[in-house]
Amino acid sequence: MIRRPDMKTMTLLATVSLMLAGCSRHVETMEELTDRVFSIAQEQYKAMDENLTGTTMPRTAGKDGNLVTSDIRWWCSGFYPGSLWYIYEYTGDDAVKGLAEKNTWKLEPLKYTGTDHDLGFQMNCSFGNAYRITGDPVYLDPIRESASVLAARFSPVTGTIRSWDHTRPGCDWKYPVIIDNMMNLEHLYNAGLLFGIDTLKSVALIHANTTMTNHFRPDYSSWHLVDYDPLTGEVRLRQTVQGFSDSSSWARGQAWALYGYTMMFRMSGYDCYLTQAENIADMLVRRLPEDGIPYWDFDSDRIPDDYRDASAAAIMASAFIELGTLSNSPEKRNYIDVAERQLRTLASPEYLSAPGENAGFLLKHSVGSLPDNSEVDVPLSYADYYFLEALLRFASLDRSGSGR
Ligand code: GLY
């Protein structure tokens, strides 16, 4: 005769089977996650090109879900070709390579225009990646010309490259320099190395040093904008134009700072940049939310009911991975762990667009400029670019935690 189990035994059996089910649930590996994201990117970024006319570039998605494009002069014009190069690098898909080439060459006319500092973003993500991946010398001329034009924006009086030529209503700027400008130094330093031009490297080093002196608070958070007197080099103003307040920590600005000093250490080998990057990283690790995605400004008074910025998370993740490979700090493993958490959150349905949504962009929930009510809680081309870059960097880590 079969005895029916009593209530206690039934509860025990149910608990054990639940535990077994939990144990057997597969946790996606980072390799699987990276494959998944790149195969979505491969399809969506190819389709995106069909919606581009003339020399336009993808910028964001409109409220109707349709693609919003920009002129090549918009500061983000290098991110679409740059993302295509990354997708080609991962997949080897020749159709993607063809689109990467086509969209890179759209930017060639920029090589003679020096209307703001963003030339570094535009030309390094496109032509810089093209040359790095293919080694084809055809890409060298636009890199060299544009680096010279960018370096011409440097003033030995201020010790910086001027960011914007314009001012804004109500803003009395004479020589504004924003923390984002650290990102343009990669293009200069790279060109200095490629062509053996020491002045390009020197301009990058002096700009990084001046920014280290004037842009940071004692806790290693950064102001967004420092305005200089162009005649004396004195600091006139410190502001956080795209953030919550002048004294707040605008999330993407902190991400540019982390990435900028990590990159400057990689390029130059000078320890002061590594120390600066580690100090910024430690400040961020202390302040980031559990899931790794910062609010658009760390000091907004609406937290926790406020917007996150996926773009800042993606830039930080890429920088944290690189820093983890360069640092000797006891925190180095933690930098990679934080990056992995950020990438896993970004690759979850909360942040990764469903195929066909958001005009083909990968990530949702970025913030362009909240004070300007511009591009709030939308996909942005640079969020995708740094997300793909971070995944490539994570994929090239070896087991001991060091990668490229
Ligand atoms: N470089 C402009 C921005 O981060 O919004």
Side-chain angles (χ1 to χ4, degrees):
M1 182 181 122
I2 301 169
R3 280 186 51 203
R4 290 185 55 192
D6 59 20
M7 202 56 190
K8 215 166 142 192
T9 312
M10 294 263 284
T11 310
L12 188 68
L13 284 172
T15 309
V16 169
S17 61
L18 272 176
M19 281 169 67
L20 286 174
C23 288
S24 65
R25 197 179 308 127
H26 176 68
V27 176
E28 186 178 40
T29 65
M30 284 301 286
E31 288 80 6
E32 290 164 340
L33 181 154
T34 304
D35 273 348
R36 173 168 64 85
V37 171
F38 271 93
S39 71
I40 297 168
Q42 188 177 1
E43 293 318 310
Q44 298 196 170
Y45 266 62
K46 279 198 266 195
M48 221 180 233
D49 183 75
E50 289 162 19
N51 293 320
L52 299 177
T53 51
T55 56
T56 58
M57 291 288 184
R59 175 171 170 168
T60 182
K63 285 197 167 48
D64 55 5
N66 289 332
L67 184 70
V68 175
T69 60
S70 75
D71 186 79
I72 55 167
R73 282 166 300 182
W74 178 237
W75 75 275
C76 302
S77 59
F79 295 118
Y80 177 62
S83 293
L84 287 166
W85 282 116
Y86 284 150
I87 297 164
Y88 168 64
E89 193 172 13
Y90 188 80
T91 62
D93 180 341
D94 281 330
V96 174
K97 184 183 185 197
L99 295 180
E101 289 165 342
K102 176 180 116 180
N103 283 283
T104 293
W105 284 108
K106 285 184 190 172
L107 301 188
E108 193 192 12
L110 296 177
K111 71 183 180 185
Y112 296 125
T113 59
T115 50
D116 67 39
H117 66 154
D118 290 324
L119 200 51
F121 273 115
Q122 291 163 310
M123 300 304 269
N124 193 47
C125 298
S126 54
F127 286 97
N129 274 316
Y131 183 69
R132 180 182 63 78
I133 292 169
T134 66
D136 188 336
V138 72
Y139 296 115
L140 288 175
D141 167 70
I143 293 175
R144 185 181 179 131
E145 290 289 350
S146 58
S148 303
V149 169
L150 180 57
R153 298 184 62 78
F154 176 78
S155 156
V157 178
T158 64
T160 58
I161 296 161
R162 182 175 179 143
S163 289
W164 300 324
D165 291 344
H166 61 271
T167 187
R168 286 186 178 206
C171 295
D172 162 40
W173 300 326
K174 289 193 190 307
Y175 191 103
V177 177
I178 59 174
I179 189 66
D180 324 28
N181 204 342
M182 284 298 302
M183 301 296 286
N184 296 298
L185 305 184
E186 184 162 11
H187 187 53
L188 279 187
Y189 211 98
N190 184 39
L193 292 171
L194 282 174
F195 306 111
I197 305 174
D198 285 344
T199 41
L200 297 179
K201 292 195 272 178
S202 301
V203 165
L205 293 169
I206 298 169
H207 181 99
N209 295 348
T210 309
T211 300
M212 197 148 62
T213 305
N214 293 330
H215 247 93
F216 289 87
R217 310 181 182 111
D219 67 352
Y220 295 98
S221 67
S222 160
W223 280 277
H224 178 206
L225 182 146
V226 174
D227 189 48
Y228 293 89
D229 183 327
L231 300 179
T232 65
E234 292 296 309
V235 171
R236 298 179 65 246
L237 300 165
R238 289 185 172 93
Q239 298 177 335
T240 297
V241 185
Q242 278 174 237
F244 174 72
S245 72
D246 283 342
S247 59
S248 71
S249 300
W250 171 51
R252 198 162 54 256
Q254 312 315 305
W256 294 141
L258 176 69
Y259 193 116
Y261 283 97
T262 305
M263 172 274 294
M264 279 305 289
F265 175 68
R266 178 205 347 128
M267 301 297 279
S268 73
Y270 288 119
D271 282 340
C272 59
Y273 303 138
L274 178 62
T275 307
Q276 182 75 1
E278 287 167 345
N279 285 328
I280 298 165
D282 295 342
M283 174 273 295
L284 289 173
V285 169
R286 281 195 301 276
R287 298 185 73 182
L288 279 168
E290 187 56 32
D291 63 7
I293 315 300
Y295 291 90
W296 72 281
D297 188 306
F298 283 93
D299 299 305
S300 162
D301 66 355
R302 292 187 50 200
I303 293 171
D305 301 317
D306 209 350
Y307 297 105
R308 305 291 190 110
D309 182 10
S311 77
I315 298 158
M316 282 178 202
S318 187
F320 273 130
I321 297 163
E322 176 151 81
L323 185 60
T325 68
L326 299 173
S327 171
N328 294 315
S329 153
E331 291 300 313
K332 62 181 280 174
R333 185 64 237 179
N334 200 23
Y335 301 150
I336 308 265
D337 290 346
V338 172
E340 180 172 344
R341 211 174 332 131
Q342 291 176 313
L343 293 175
R344 285 188 179 279
T345 309
L346 292 175
S348 73
E350 201 179 340
Y351 285 90
L352 196 70
S353 305
E357 281 183 3
N358 277 314
F361 288 99
L362 299 173
L363 292 177
K364 305 179 266 187
H365 305 314
S366 289
V367 174
S369 181
L370 196 134
D372 296 315
N373 195 22
S374 168
E375 300 177 333
V376 177
D377 199 22
V378 293
L380 289 168
S381 58
Y382 44 98
D384 285 9
Y385 175 86
Y386 290 102
F387 181 44
L388 295 173
E389 180 183 88
L391 289 170
L392 281 175
R393 286 181 170 181
F394 199 96
S396 69
L397 293 172
D398 65 31
R399 280 168 202 270
S400 63
S402 61
R404 65 179 179 178

